[in-house]
Amino acid sequence: MSEATALPPIDRAPLRRRRRRAIGVQVACIAVTLFMALPIVLIGLAAVSSREALNEFPKPLLPSEFSIETLQSFFRATGTVPALGNSVLVGLYTVFWSLAIGAPAGYALARNVFRGKDTYQVFILFVRALPIVVLSVPLATMFLRLDVYDTVFAVTLVHTTLALPTTVLITASIFVAVPADLEEAARVFGCTRWQAARKVVVPLALPGLAASSIFTFVLSWNEILGATIVTLGHRTLPAQVLTTLGEASTPYRFAGGFALIIPALVFIFVMRRYLVNMWGTTLR
């Protein structure tokens, strides 16, 4: 082959830059994962350590003796099991009412155009901008007058109030992603608007709605201040642990932290497929 027809050298610089960028993203993801997972791992190791291992100084990274005594003493403590049941009930009730109220509101925002729509959506977020104390104290006063104070129903109302803004906006973005042409085609073939929404739109939006329920459940499970204000004898587990931290022993604190983390992680693990599908990706 003559010099005139020789191919120019291949420029590998873009490929090297792409590889460096990919490596940088992977390193950043690993660093963030370690930053978030390390406290969970340490709390979990402390929760399954014996009392003698917890009192060691200096403490080793891995406990010298494993035991479920710490967890057993935590769950045997007065009020722990009822508080755990209250947390599960409040979380499920909050998910139900948030979707029952917020999903239709999100559907209306997605399918209708009206003056001030953007302003209205910003106004919805103002509820999340307010400190929880600003909402909890008036609600506690109202609950006392209505004779529903210190009940699971009262905590559910508080958590639903906190979850509705994000539920409305998330479900609105989910319904926007569902093509309106499919709904119109269903109506052409004889479906009413309600039937088209129930048979066409909701099944397509179901993964996103399930992802929205993850945020709602975790928000309800982790909320402490509101549940502490509106309850005394029927507290949720986070409120129960918070109110006993001052006089609790070190093993109780570690076991309580571990017990608060596990249910939320299990719920996210079960629903992870829907969570990823919310952004248009499928887990293989």
Side-chain angles (χ1 to χ4, degrees):
M1 183 180 294
S2 63
E3 295 183 0
T5 60
L7 296 176
I10 299 175
D11 185 8
R12 300 184 180 273
L15 181 60
R16 288 194 294 267
R17 287 195 298 268
R18 183 175 180 180
R19 288 178 177 174
R20 286 196 297 267
R21 190 180 301 112
I23 293 173
V25 171
Q26 292 296 326
V27 171
C29 290
I30 293 173
V32 172
T33 302
L34 291 176
F35 177 78
M36 298 179 66
L38 185 60
I40 299 176
V41 172
L42 294 178
I43 291 176
L45 290 175
V48 296
S49 301
S50 63
R51 292 178 179 269
E52 292 76 13
L54 288 176
N55 293 327
E56 290 180 357
F57 185 83
K59 285 185 173 60
L61 182 61
L62 294 177
S64 57
E65 183 180 358
F66 291 92
S67 173
I68 61 172
E69 178 187 0
T70 302
L71 289 173
Q72 286 179 338
S73 61
F74 170 75
F75 285 104
R76 289 173 182 171
T78 303
T80 298
V81 174
L84 175 62
N86 291 338
S87 288
V88 174
L89 286 177
V90 169
L92 295 178
Y93 289 157
T94 302
V95 169
F96 173 79
W97 287 113
S98 297
L99 288 178
I101 299 172
Y107 176 81
L109 285 175
R111 288 293 186 260
N112 297 288
V113 178
F114 53 89
R115 181 179 298 178
K117 178 179 178 179
D118 293 338
T119 304
Y120 176 72
Q121 294 184 72
V122 174
F123 178 77
I124 292 177
L125 287 177
F126 281 171
V127 177
R128 298 294 298 138
L130 293 174
I132 180 60
V133 177
V134 176
L135 297 174
S136 296
V137 174
L139 285 174
T141 304
M142 182 179 67
F143 294 157
L144 286 170
R145 293 177 179 175
L146 297 177
D147 197 24
V148 294
Y149 184 80
D150 194 20
T151 62
V152 170
F153 176 70
V155 184
T156 300
L157 285 179
V158 174
H159 290 183
T160 303
T161 302
L162 295 175
L164 269 178
T166 52
T167 301
V168 171
L169 296 180
I170 290 175
T171 54
S173 64
I174 293 168
F175 287 125
V176 165
V178 178
D181 296 343
L182 298 177
E183 187 176 358
E184 294 174 359
R187 298 185 66 182
V188 168
F189 284 101
C191 290
T192 63
R193 184 160 190 172
W194 162 250
Q195 290 175 333
R198 181 171 59 88
K199 296 181 179 181
V200 177
V201 179
V202 172
L204 292 175
L206 189 59
L209 296 177
S212 175
S213 70
I214 295 176
F215 292 103
T216 303
F217 183 86
V218 173
L219 184 150
S220 173
W221 182 269
N222 292 330
E223 202 283 321
I224 297 178
L225 187 56
T228 305
I229 292 175
V230 301
T231 56
L232 286 175
H234 298 82
R235 297 191 186 278
T236 59
L237 187 60
Q240 177 74 15
V241 172
L242 176 66
T243 54
T244 57
L245 280 182
E247 54 205 29
S249 61
T250 300
Y252 179 92
R253 297 176 183 180
F254 282 120
F258 185 68
L260 293 179
I261 293 172
I262 290 302
L265 291 180
V266 170
F267 190 81
I268 293 175
F269 178 80
V270 172
M271 305 292 286
R272 72 193 188 282
R273 182 179 301 274
Y274 299 106
L275 179 63
V276 178
N277 283 347
M278 184 177 174
W279 287 281
T281 305
T282 303
L283 284 178
R284 300 295 182 186

